[in-house]
């Protein structure tokens, strides 16, 4: 299980970091922990599944 930080998720999804944090707050993208700065960390597979779902629903 590879964990991605907010910046890596934002780059993968092509969105701003603040949107990734909002997705985590709204539980649309579930965080698996926090880094040293208190920012969420995400499982790579969860992020890939979220991207597929978001694209099916009309975009991210």
């Amino acid at each position: 299980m590879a964990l991605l930080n907010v910046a890596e998720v934002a780059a993968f999804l092509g969105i701003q970091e603040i949107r990734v944090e909002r997705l985590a707050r709204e539980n649309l993208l579930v965080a698996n922990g926090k880094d040293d700065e208190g920012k969420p960390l995400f499982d790579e597979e969860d992020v890939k599944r979220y991207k597929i779902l978001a694209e099916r629903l009309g975009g991210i």
Side-chain angles (χ1 to χ4, degrees):
M1 173 174 79
L3 293 178
L4 303 175
N5 63 28
V6 172
E8 293 168 331
V9 173
F12 181 75
L13 296 176
I15 60 176
Q16 297 177 351
E17 291 182 23
I18 193 75
R19 280 197 62 200
V20 174
E21 293 175 11
R22 183 178 59 91
L23 291 171
R25 274 195 313 273
E26 295 175 354
N27 292 319
L28 296 172
L29 192 55
V30 179
N32 286 352
K34 298 208 180 247
D35 65 8
D36 295 337
E37 298 174 2
K39 293 194 177 199
L41 296 170
F42 305 93
D43 179 34
E44 185 176 10
E45 291 302 314
D46 290 343
V47 174
K48 288 178 181 177
R49 282 194 298 269
Y50 174 79
K51 183 175 184 176
I52 291 168
L53 175 65
E55 288 172 345
R56 286 183 183 169
L57 294 174
I60 298 176

Short mmCIF file of all heavy atoms in Angstrom, two decimals:
data_model
loop_
_atom_site.label_atom_id
_atom_site.label_comp_id
_atom_site.label_asym_id
_atom_site.label_seq_id
_atom_site.Cartn_x
_atom_site.Cartn_y
_atom_site.Cartn_z
N MET A 1 0.85 -1.18 0.00
CA MET A 1 0.00 0.00 0.00
C MET A 1 0.89 1.23 0.00
O MET A 1 1.59 1.51 0.96
CB MET A 1 -0.91 -0.02 1.23
CG MET A 1 -1.71 1.24 1.41
SD MET A 1 -2.91 1.18 2.73
CE MET A 1 -1.89 1.44 4.16
N ALA A 2 0.86 1.97 -1.08
CA ALA A 2 1.64 3.20 -1.19
C ALA A 2 0.78 4.37 -0.75
O ALA A 2 -0.37 4.50 -1.18
CB ALA A 2 2.11 3.39 -2.62
N LEU A 3 1.32 5.21 0.10
CA LEU A 3 0.60 6.39 0.55
C LEU A 3 1.08 7.61 -0.22
O LEU A 3 2.27 7.79 -0.44
CB LEU A 3 0.80 6.60 2.05
CG LEU A 3 0.19 5.56 2.96
CD1 LEU A 3 0.51 5.87 4.42
CD2 LEU A 3 -1.31 5.48 2.78
N LEU A 4 0.13 8.42 -0.63
CA LEU A 4 0.42 9.65 -1.36
C LEU A 4 0.08 10.85 -0.50
O LEU A 4 -0.94 10.84 0.21
CB LEU A 4 -0.40 9.71 -2.65
CG LEU A 4 -0.26 8.56 -3.63
CD1 LEU A 4 -1.23 8.73 -4.79
CD2 LEU A 4 1.16 8.45 -4.14
N ASN A 5 0.89 11.91 -0.58
CA ASN A 5 0.56 13.13 0.15
C ASN A 5 -0.36 14.00 -0.69
O ASN A 5 -0.70 13.66 -1.84
CB ASN A 5 1.83 13.87 0.59
CG ASN A 5 2.65 14.36 -0.58
OD1 ASN A 5 2.15 14.63 -1.66
ND2 ASN A 5 3.95 14.48 -0.37
N VAL A 6 -0.76 15.12 -0.14
CA VAL A 6 -1.73 16.01 -0.81
C VAL A 6 -1.19 16.48 -2.16
O VAL A 6 -1.92 16.50 -3.16
CB VAL A 6 -2.08 17.20 0.10
CG1 VAL A 6 -2.92 18.22 -0.63
CG2 VAL A 6 -2.82 16.72 1.34
N ALA A 7 0.08 16.86 -2.21
CA ALA A 7 0.66 17.37 -3.46
C ALA A 7 0.68 16.30 -4.54
O ALA A 7 0.38 16.57 -5.71
CB ALA A 7 2.07 17.89 -3.21
N GLU A 8 1.01 15.07 -4.17
CA GLU A 8 1.04 13.97 -5.14
C GLU A 8 -0.36 13.65 -5.66
O GLU A 8 -0.54 13.40 -6.86
CB GLU A 8 1.66 12.73 -4.51
CG GLU A 8 3.14 12.90 -4.19
CD GLU A 8 3.70 11.81 -3.30
OE1 GLU A 8 2.95 11.24 -2.48
OE2 GLU A 8 4.90 11.52 -3.43
N VAL A 9 -1.35 13.66 -4.78
CA VAL A 9 -2.72 13.41 -5.20
C VAL A 9 -3.20 14.52 -6.13
O VAL A 9 -3.83 14.26 -7.16
CB VAL A 9 -3.66 13.27 -3.98
CG1 VAL A 9 -5.11 13.16 -4.42
CG2 VAL A 9 -3.27 12.06 -3.15
N ALA A 10 -2.91 15.76 -5.78
CA ALA A 10 -3.31 16.89 -6.62
C ALA A 10 -2.70 16.78 -8.01
O ALA A 10 -3.40 17.01 -9.01
CB ALA A 10 -2.90 18.20 -5.95
N ALA A 11 -1.44 16.41 -8.09
CA ALA A 11 -0.79 16.26 -9.39
C ALA A 11 -1.42 15.11 -10.17
O ALA A 11 -1.66 15.24 -11.38
CB ALA A 11 0.71 16.01 -9.20
N PHE A 12 -1.71 14.00 -9.52
CA PHE A 12 -2.31 12.85 -10.19
C PHE A 12 -3.70 13.17 -10.73
O PHE A 12 -4.06 12.78 -11.84
CB PHE A 12 -2.38 11.66 -9.23
CG PHE A 12 -2.95 10.42 -9.84
CD1 PHE A 12 -2.20 9.66 -10.72
CD2 PHE A 12 -4.25 10.02 -9.54
CE1 PHE A 12 -2.75 8.51 -11.30
CE2 PHE A 12 -4.79 8.88 -10.11
CZ PHE A 12 -4.04 8.12 -10.99
N LEU A 13 -4.48 13.90 -9.93
CA LEU A 13 -5.85 14.23 -10.35
C LEU A 13 -5.92 15.48 -11.22
O LEU A 13 -6.95 15.75 -11.83
CB LEU A 13 -6.75 14.42 -9.11
CG LEU A 13 -6.94 13.19 -8.22
CD1 LEU A 13 -7.77 13.58 -7.00
CD2 LEU A 13 -7.61 12.06 -8.99
N GLY A 14 -4.86 16.26 -11.24
CA GLY A 14 -4.85 17.49 -12.03
C GLY A 14 -5.67 18.59 -11.40
O GLY A 14 -6.31 19.37 -12.12
N ILE A 15 -5.66 18.66 -10.07
CA ILE A 15 -6.43 19.69 -9.36
C ILE A 15 -5.51 20.39 -8.35
O ILE A 15 -4.37 19.97 -8.14
CB ILE A 15 -7.65 19.09 -8.63
CG1 ILE A 15 -7.22 18.03 -7.61
CG2 ILE A 15 -8.64 18.51 -9.64
CD1 ILE A 15 -8.36 17.46 -6.79
N GLN A 16 -6.03 21.44 -7.72
CA GLN A 16 -5.25 22.16 -6.72
C GLN A 16 -5.22 21.40 -5.40
O GLN A 16 -6.15 20.65 -5.08
CB GLN A 16 -5.85 23.54 -6.49
CG GLN A 16 -5.83 24.44 -7.69
CD GLN A 16 -6.52 25.76 -7.41
OE1 GLN A 16 -7.16 25.95 -6.40
NE2 GLN A 16 -6.38 26.69 -8.35
N GLU A 17 -4.18 21.64 -4.62
CA GLU A 17 -4.03 20.96 -3.33
C GLU A 17 -5.18 21.26 -2.39
O GLU A 17 -5.62 20.39 -1.64
CB GLU A 17 -2.70 21.36 -2.68
CG GLU A 17 -1.50 20.80 -3.41
CD GLU A 17 -0.19 21.16 -2.75
OE1 GLU A 17 -0.17 21.44 -1.53
OE2 GLU A 17 0.84 21.14 -3.46
N ILE A 18 -5.69 22.48 -2.42
CA ILE A 18 -6.80 22.85 -1.54
C ILE A 18 -8.05 22.01 -1.82
O ILE A 18 -8.80 21.68 -0.92
CB ILE A 18 -7.09 24.37 -1.61
CG1 ILE A 18 -8.00 24.82 -0.47
CG2 ILE A 18 -7.69 24.75 -2.94
CD1 ILE A 18 -7.31 24.90 0.84
N ARG A 19 -8.24 21.64 -3.09
CA ARG A 19 -9.38 20.77 -3.43
C ARG A 19 -9.21 19.38 -2.87
O ARG A 19 -10.17 18.74 -2.45
CB ARG A 19 -9.57 20.70 -4.95
CG ARG A 19 -10.30 21.92 -5.47
CD ARG A 19 -10.86 21.74 -6.86
NE ARG A 19 -11.85 20.70 -6.93
CZ ARG A 19 -12.21 20.10 -8.06
NH1 ARG A 19 -11.66 20.45 -9.20
NH2 ARG A 19 -13.11 19.16 -8.07
N VAL A 20 -7.97 18.88 -2.85
CA VAL A 20 -7.71 17.56 -2.28
C VAL A 20 -8.06 17.58 -0.79
O VAL A 20 -8.70 16.66 -0.27
CB VAL A 20 -6.24 17.13 -2.49
CG1 VAL A 20 -5.95 15.83 -1.77
CG2 VAL A 20 -5.94 17.01 -3.97
N GLU A 21 -7.65 18.63 -0.09
CA GLU A 21 -7.96 18.75 1.33
C GLU A 21 -9.46 18.84 1.56
O GLU A 21 -9.98 18.27 2.51
CB GLU A 21 -7.24 19.96 1.92
CG GLU A 21 -5.73 19.78 1.94
CD GLU A 21 -4.97 21.00 2.41
OE1 GLU A 21 -5.61 21.95 2.91
OE2 GLU A 21 -3.73 21.00 2.28
N ARG A 22 -10.17 19.53 0.67
CA ARG A 22 -11.63 19.63 0.79
C ARG A 22 -12.28 18.27 0.56
O ARG A 22 -13.21 17.88 1.29
CB ARG A 22 -12.20 20.64 -0.21
CG ARG A 22 -13.72 20.82 -0.07
CD ARG A 22 -14.23 21.85 -1.05
NE ARG A 22 -13.95 21.51 -2.43
CZ ARG A 22 -14.77 20.81 -3.21
NH1 ARG A 22 -15.93 20.39 -2.76
NH2 ARG A 22 -14.44 20.55 -4.45
N LEU A 23 -11.80 17.52 -0.42
CA LEU A 23 -12.32 16.17 -0.66
C LEU A 23 -12.15 15.29 0.57
O LEU A 23 -13.02 14.49 0.91
CB LEU A 23 -11.64 15.54 -1.87
CG LEU A 23 -11.95 16.15 -3.24
CD1 LEU A 23 -11.02 15.57 -4.30
CD2 LEU A 23 -13.40 15.94 -3.61
N ALA A 24 -11.02 15.45 1.26
CA ALA A 24 -10.78 14.68 2.48
C ALA A 24 -11.72 15.11 3.59
O ALA A 24 -12.28 14.27 4.31
CB ALA A 24 -9.33 14.84 2.92
N ARG A 25 -11.92 16.42 3.76
CA ARG A 25 -12.83 16.92 4.79
C ARG A 25 -14.25 16.43 4.57
O ARG A 25 -14.98 16.14 5.51
CB ARG A 25 -12.84 18.45 4.82
CG ARG A 25 -11.78 19.07 5.65
CD ARG A 25 -12.05 20.53 5.94
NE ARG A 25 -12.44 21.31 4.78
CZ ARG A 25 -11.63 21.92 3.94
NH1 ARG A 25 -10.33 21.82 4.11
NH2 ARG A 25 -12.09 22.61 2.92
N GLU A 26 -14.66 16.36 3.30
CA GLU A 26 -16.02 15.95 2.95
C GLU A 26 -16.15 14.43 2.82
O GLU A 26 -17.19 13.92 2.43
CB GLU A 26 -16.45 16.63 1.66
CG GLU A 26 -16.56 18.14 1.81
CD GLU A 26 -16.86 18.84 0.51
OE1 GLU A 26 -16.89 18.20 -0.56
OE2 GLU A 26 -17.08 20.07 0.55
N ASN A 27 -15.08 13.71 3.13
CA ASN A 27 -15.03 12.25 3.07
C ASN A 27 -15.34 11.69 1.68
O ASN A 27 -15.84 10.58 1.55
CB ASN A 27 -15.97 11.62 4.11
CG ASN A 27 -15.48 11.87 5.51
OD1 ASN A 27 -14.29 11.78 5.77
ND2 ASN A 27 -16.39 12.19 6.41
N LEU A 28 -15.03 12.46 0.65
CA LEU A 28 -15.16 11.97 -0.72
C LEU A 28 -13.90 11.21 -1.12
O LEU A 28 -13.94 10.37 -2.01
CB LEU A 28 -15.41 13.13 -1.68
CG LEU A 28 -16.73 13.87 -1.44
CD1 LEU A 28 -16.79 15.11 -2.30
CD2 LEU A 28 -17.90 12.96 -1.73
N LEU A 29 -12.82 11.52 -0.45
CA LEU A 29 -11.54 10.83 -0.63
C LEU A 29 -11.03 10.55 0.78
O LEU A 29 -10.73 11.48 1.53
CB LEU A 29 -10.58 11.72 -1.41
CG LEU A 29 -9.30 11.10 -1.94
CD1 LEU A 29 -9.61 9.88 -2.80
CD2 LEU A 29 -8.53 12.11 -2.75
N VAL A 30 -10.99 9.30 1.15
CA VAL A 30 -10.71 8.91 2.54
C VAL A 30 -9.21 8.88 2.80
O VAL A 30 -8.46 8.20 2.10
CB VAL A 30 -11.33 7.53 2.85
CG1 VAL A 30 -11.02 7.13 4.29
CG2 VAL A 30 -12.82 7.57 2.63
N ALA A 31 -8.78 9.63 3.83
CA ALA A 31 -7.38 9.67 4.24
C ALA A 31 -7.06 8.46 5.10
O ALA A 31 -7.89 8.00 5.88
CB ALA A 31 -7.09 10.95 5.00
N ASN A 32 -5.85 7.94 4.94
CA ASN A 32 -5.40 6.78 5.72
C ASN A 32 -4.43 7.16 6.81
O ASN A 32 -3.80 6.29 7.39
CB ASN A 32 -4.74 5.75 4.80
CG ASN A 32 -5.75 5.03 3.96
OD1 ASN A 32 -6.93 5.17 4.16
ND2 ASN A 32 -5.28 4.25 3.01
N GLY A 33 -4.27 8.43 7.07
CA GLY A 33 -3.36 8.88 8.11
C GLY A 33 -3.00 10.33 7.87
O GLY A 33 -3.58 11.00 7.03
N LYS A 34 -2.02 10.80 8.64
CA LYS A 34 -1.57 12.18 8.51
C LYS A 34 -0.05 12.19 8.48
O LYS A 34 0.61 11.36 9.09
CB LYS A 34 -2.08 13.01 9.67
CG LYS A 34 -3.60 13.08 9.71
CD LYS A 34 -4.07 14.33 10.35
CE LYS A 34 -5.59 14.34 10.37
NZ LYS A 34 -6.15 15.33 9.54
N ASP A 35 0.50 13.19 7.78
CA ASP A 35 1.95 13.33 7.73
C ASP A 35 2.44 14.14 8.93
O ASP A 35 1.66 14.45 9.83
CB ASP A 35 2.40 13.94 6.39
CG ASP A 35 1.92 15.37 6.18
OD1 ASP A 35 1.36 15.98 7.13
OD2 ASP A 35 2.10 15.90 5.07
N ASP A 36 3.71 14.50 8.94
CA ASP A 36 4.30 15.24 10.06
C ASP A 36 3.68 16.62 10.24
O ASP A 36 3.69 17.17 11.34
CB ASP A 36 5.81 15.39 9.86
CG ASP A 36 6.53 14.05 9.90
OD1 ASP A 36 5.97 13.09 10.48
OD2 ASP A 36 7.64 13.95 9.34
N GLU A 37 3.15 17.19 9.16
CA GLU A 37 2.53 18.52 9.22
C GLU A 37 1.04 18.45 9.52
O GLU A 37 0.37 19.47 9.57
CB GLU A 37 2.75 19.25 7.89
CG GLU A 37 4.20 19.50 7.57
CD GLU A 37 4.40 20.11 6.19
OE1 GLU A 37 3.39 20.38 5.49
OE2 GLU A 37 5.55 20.30 5.82
N GLY A 38 0.51 17.25 9.67
CA GLY A 38 -0.91 17.09 9.96
C GLY A 38 -1.80 17.05 8.72
O GLY A 38 -3.01 17.04 8.83
N LYS A 39 -1.19 17.00 7.55
CA LYS A 39 -1.96 16.91 6.31
C LYS A 39 -2.26 15.44 6.01
O LYS A 39 -1.48 14.56 6.35
CB LYS A 39 -1.20 17.55 5.16
CG LYS A 39 -1.06 19.05 5.34
CD LYS A 39 -0.63 19.71 4.08
CE LYS A 39 -0.57 21.21 4.30
NZ LYS A 39 -0.59 21.93 3.06
N PRO A 40 -3.39 15.18 5.36
CA PRO A 40 -3.79 13.79 5.11
C PRO A 40 -2.89 13.06 4.12
O PRO A 40 -2.30 13.66 3.23
CB PRO A 40 -5.21 13.92 4.57
CG PRO A 40 -5.34 15.31 4.07
CD PRO A 40 -4.37 16.14 4.87
N LEU A 41 -2.83 11.73 4.30
CA LEU A 41 -2.15 10.83 3.37
C LEU A 41 -3.20 9.87 2.81
O LEU A 41 -4.10 9.45 3.53
CB LEU A 41 -1.07 10.03 4.10
CG LEU A 41 0.09 10.83 4.66
CD1 LEU A 41 0.96 9.94 5.55
CD2 LEU A 41 0.93 11.42 3.54
N PHE A 42 -3.08 9.54 1.53
CA PHE A 42 -4.08 8.74 0.85
C PHE A 42 -3.47 7.50 0.24
O PHE A 42 -2.35 7.54 -0.27
CB PHE A 42 -4.74 9.57 -0.26
CG PHE A 42 -5.33 10.86 0.22
CD1 PHE A 42 -4.59 12.03 0.19
CD2 PHE A 42 -6.61 10.90 0.72
CE1 PHE A 42 -5.11 13.22 0.64
CE2 PHE A 42 -7.15 12.08 1.18
CZ PHE A 42 -6.40 13.24 1.14
N ASP A 43 -4.22 6.41 0.25
CA ASP A 43 -3.81 5.17 -0.40
C ASP A 43 -3.89 5.37 -1.92
O ASP A 43 -4.88 5.88 -2.44
CB ASP A 43 -4.71 4.02 0.04
CG ASP A 43 -4.35 2.71 -0.62
OD1 ASP A 43 -3.15 2.47 -0.87
OD2 ASP A 43 -5.27 1.92 -0.89
N GLU A 44 -2.85 4.97 -2.62
CA GLU A 44 -2.77 5.17 -4.07
C GLU A 44 -3.94 4.51 -4.79
O GLU A 44 -4.51 5.08 -5.74
CB GLU A 44 -1.45 4.62 -4.58
CG GLU A 44 -1.21 4.86 -6.04
CD GLU A 44 0.15 4.38 -6.50
OE1 GLU A 44 0.85 3.70 -5.73
OE2 GLU A 44 0.51 4.69 -7.65
N GLU A 45 -4.34 3.32 -4.37
CA GLU A 45 -5.45 2.61 -5.02
C GLU A 45 -6.78 3.36 -4.82
O GLU A 45 -7.61 3.41 -5.73
CB GLU A 45 -5.56 1.19 -4.50
CG GLU A 45 -4.41 0.30 -4.93
CD GLU A 45 -4.25 0.22 -6.44
OE1 GLU A 45 -5.26 0.03 -7.15
OE2 GLU A 45 -3.11 0.37 -6.92
N ASP A 46 -6.99 3.94 -3.64
CA ASP A 46 -8.20 4.73 -3.39
C ASP A 46 -8.25 5.94 -4.31
O ASP A 46 -9.31 6.29 -4.83
CB ASP A 46 -8.27 5.20 -1.93
CG ASP A 46 -8.52 4.06 -0.96
OD1 ASP A 46 -8.95 2.97 -1.41
OD2 ASP A 46 -8.29 4.27 0.25
N VAL A 47 -7.11 6.58 -4.52
CA VAL A 47 -7.05 7.76 -5.38
C VAL A 47 -7.36 7.36 -6.83
O VAL A 47 -8.12 8.05 -7.52
CB VAL A 47 -5.67 8.44 -5.29
CG1 VAL A 47 -5.55 9.58 -6.28
CG2 VAL A 47 -5.42 8.93 -3.86
N LYS A 48 -6.82 6.24 -7.27
CA LYS A 48 -7.10 5.77 -8.64
C LYS A 48 -8.58 5.46 -8.82
O LYS A 48 -9.19 5.82 -9.83
CB LYS A 48 -6.27 4.53 -8.95
CG LYS A 48 -4.80 4.82 -9.14
CD LYS A 48 -4.02 3.55 -9.40
CE LYS A 48 -2.53 3.84 -9.56
NZ LYS A 48 -1.75 2.61 -9.74
N ARG A 49 -9.18 4.79 -7.82
CA ARG A 49 -10.62 4.48 -7.90
C ARG A 49 -11.46 5.75 -7.90
O ARG A 49 -12.45 5.86 -8.62
CB ARG A 49 -11.03 3.57 -6.75
CG ARG A 49 -10.64 2.13 -6.97
CD ARG A 49 -11.33 1.19 -6.01
NE ARG A 49 -11.01 1.44 -4.62
CZ ARG A 49 -10.01 0.87 -3.96
NH1 ARG A 49 -9.24 0.00 -4.58
NH2 ARG A 49 -9.79 1.15 -2.71
N TYR A 50 -11.06 6.74 -7.09
CA TYR A 50 -11.79 8.01 -7.06
C TYR A 50 -11.73 8.69 -8.43
O TYR A 50 -12.73 9.21 -8.92
CB TYR A 50 -11.24 8.95 -5.98
CG TYR A 50 -11.89 10.30 -6.06
CD1 TYR A 50 -13.16 10.51 -5.54
CD2 TYR A 50 -11.27 11.36 -6.72
CE1 TYR A 50 -13.79 11.74 -5.65
CE2 TYR A 50 -11.89 12.58 -6.84
CZ TYR A 50 -13.14 12.77 -6.31
OH TYR A 50 -13.77 13.99 -6.43
N LYS A 51 -10.56 8.68 -9.07
CA LYS A 51 -10.41 9.32 -10.38
C LYS A 51 -11.32 8.67 -11.41
O LYS A 51 -11.98 9.36 -12.19
CB LYS A 51 -8.95 9.27 -10.82
CG LYS A 51 -8.71 9.99 -12.13
CD LYS A 51 -7.25 10.04 -12.50
CE LYS A 51 -7.05 10.85 -13.77
NZ LYS A 51 -5.65 11.00 -14.10
N ILE A 52 -11.37 7.35 -11.41
CA ILE A 52 -12.24 6.63 -12.35
C ILE A 52 -13.70 6.99 -12.12
O ILE A 52 -14.44 7.29 -13.05
CB ILE A 52 -12.01 5.11 -12.23
CG1 ILE A 52 -10.62 4.74 -12.75
CG2 ILE A 52 -13.09 4.33 -12.99
CD1 ILE A 52 -10.18 3.33 -12.42
N LEU A 53 -14.12 6.99 -10.86
CA LEU A 53 -15.50 7.33 -10.53
C LEU A 53 -15.82 8.76 -10.93
O LEU A 53 -16.87 9.02 -11.54
CB LEU A 53 -15.74 7.14 -9.03
CG LEU A 53 -17.12 7.57 -8.54
CD1 LEU A 53 -18.21 6.70 -9.14
CD2 LEU A 53 -17.17 7.53 -7.03
N ALA A 54 -14.94 9.69 -10.60
CA ALA A 54 -15.19 11.10 -10.92
C ALA A 54 -15.28 11.31 -12.43
O ALA A 54 -16.13 12.09 -12.90
CB ALA A 54 -14.08 11.96 -10.32
N GLU A 55 -14.44 10.63 -13.19
CA GLU A 55 -14.50 10.77 -14.65
C GLU A 55 -15.80 10.21 -15.20
O GLU A 55 -16.38 10.76 -16.13
CB GLU A 55 -13.30 10.09 -15.29
CG GLU A 55 -12.00 10.84 -15.06
CD GLU A 55 -10.77 10.10 -15.51
OE1 GLU A 55 -10.84 8.87 -15.76
OE2 GLU A 55 -9.70 10.73 -15.60
N ARG A 56 -16.30 9.13 -14.61
CA ARG A 56 -17.57 8.56 -15.06
C ARG A 56 -18.74 9.48 -14.75
O ARG A 56 -19.74 9.49 -15.48
CB ARG A 56 -17.81 7.22 -14.38
CG ARG A 56 -16.97 6.10 -14.91
CD ARG A 56 -17.31 4.81 -14.24
NE ARG A 56 -16.44 3.74 -14.70
CZ ARG A 56 -16.36 2.56 -14.15
NH1 ARG A 56 -17.11 2.26 -13.10
NH2 ARG A 56 -15.55 1.66 -14.63
N LEU A 57 -18.61 10.24 -13.68
CA LEU A 57 -19.70 11.13 -13.27
C LEU A 57 -19.63 12.50 -13.94
O LEU A 57 -20.43 13.37 -13.64
CB LEU A 57 -19.70 11.31 -11.74
CG LEU A 57 -20.02 10.05 -10.95
CD1 LEU A 57 -19.85 10.31 -9.46
CD2 LEU A 57 -21.43 9.57 -11.25
N GLY A 58 -18.66 12.70 -14.81
CA GLY A 58 -18.63 13.94 -15.55
C GLY A 58 -17.39 14.79 -15.33
O GLY A 58 -17.37 15.94 -15.74
N GLY A 59 -16.41 14.31 -14.63
CA GLY A 59 -15.18 15.06 -14.46
C GLY A 59 -14.87 15.33 -13.01
O GLY A 59 -15.70 15.18 -12.13
N ILE A 60 -13.66 15.75 -12.79
CA ILE A 60 -13.19 16.02 -11.43
C ILE A 60 -13.43 17.46 -11.10
O ILE A 60 -13.24 18.34 -11.85
CB ILE A 60 -11.69 15.64 -11.30
CG1 ILE A 60 -11.53 14.15 -11.56
CG2 ILE A 60 -11.13 16.03 -9.96
CD1 ILE A 60 -10.12 13.64 -11.57
#
